[in-house]
Amino acid sequence: MTESHRNNKKMADGTTCGRLWRFCASAVAATLLGGCAAEQTPVPQASSMAAHVYEAHCSACHSLPSPKRLYYSQWEHMVGVMDGNMVHEGMKPLTPEDQRIILDYLKANARR
């Protein structure tokens, strides 16, 4: 069975395996990003406008991850995943300007 065929196999509830896998992967990523700590991790440049935009959007659903947690290439992917999750949950997606601000902030502060 090809990967494409396996990802499109219908489940009993009408969803496809590919959609289910993507949802589960997103849930795991959100859990890993959110962590279990009750205390927020201070973010770099906390008083900057970019840090405030990052905090406002990225702590709306889970605890705020440190930008140093991932490399920038991983953040690029994760911002797209989280934006999709926001839409899936009925929230407004990031504006192009907010997405640019967040990605620029993460690029400056990501793991090296």
Side-chain angles (χ1 to χ4, degrees), residues 4 6-7 13 18 20 34 48 52-53 71 76 80 83 92 94 96 98 104 110:
S4 175
R6 185 174 29 246
N7 286 344
D13 67 355
L20 182 61
S48 70
H52 288 289
V53 172
Y71 293 99
E76 282 182 301
D83 199 36
K92 290 183 180 179
L94 294 172
D98 283 349
D104 287 350

Side-chain angles (χ1 to χ4, degrees), residues 41-56 64-68 100-110 112:
T41 303
V43 295
Q45 307 162 6
S47 62
S48 70
M49 186 269 301
H52 288 289
V53 172
Y54 172 68
E55 184 174 1
L64 192 64
S66 168
K68 300 264 186 235
R100 184 195 58 77
I101 290 168
I102 290 169
L103 286 171
D104 287 350
Y105 174 77
L106 292 169
K107 187 172 193 173
N109 295 289
R112 304 224 184 278

Side-chain angles (χ1 to χ4, degrees), residues 32-106:
L32 290 174
L33 285 176
C36 298
E39 197 171 305
Q40 290 278 349
T41 303
V43 295
Q45 307 162 6
S47 62
S48 70
M49 186 269 301
H52 288 289
V53 172
Y54 172 68
E55 184 174 1
H57 286 291
C58 300
S59 67
C61 300
H62 53 76
S63 63
L64 192 64
S66 168
K68 300 264 186 235
R69 185 171 285 183
L70 300 174
Y71 293 99
Y72 178 67
S73 61
Q74 294 169 309
W75 278 122
E76 282 182 301
H77 173 74
M78 192 55 61
V79 168
V81 168
M82 292 294 126
D83 199 36
N85 287 349
M86 290 167 59
V87 172
H88 179 75
E89 293 299 322
M91 300 169 69
K92 290 183 180 179
L94 294 172
T95 65
E97 178 67 11
D98 283 349
Q99 189 169 35
R100 184 195 58 77
I101 290 168
I102 290 169
L103 286 171
D104 287 350
Y105 174 77
L106 292 169

Side-chain angles (χ1 to χ4, degrees), residues 4-23:
S4 175
H5 180 74
R6 185 174 29 246
N7 286 344
N8 291 321
K9 184 177 178 187
K10 290 272 187 186
M11 303 293 286
D13 67 355
T15 61
T16 62
C17 290
R19 285 179 52 202
L20 182 61
W21 184 89
R22 285 189 299 276
F23 175 78

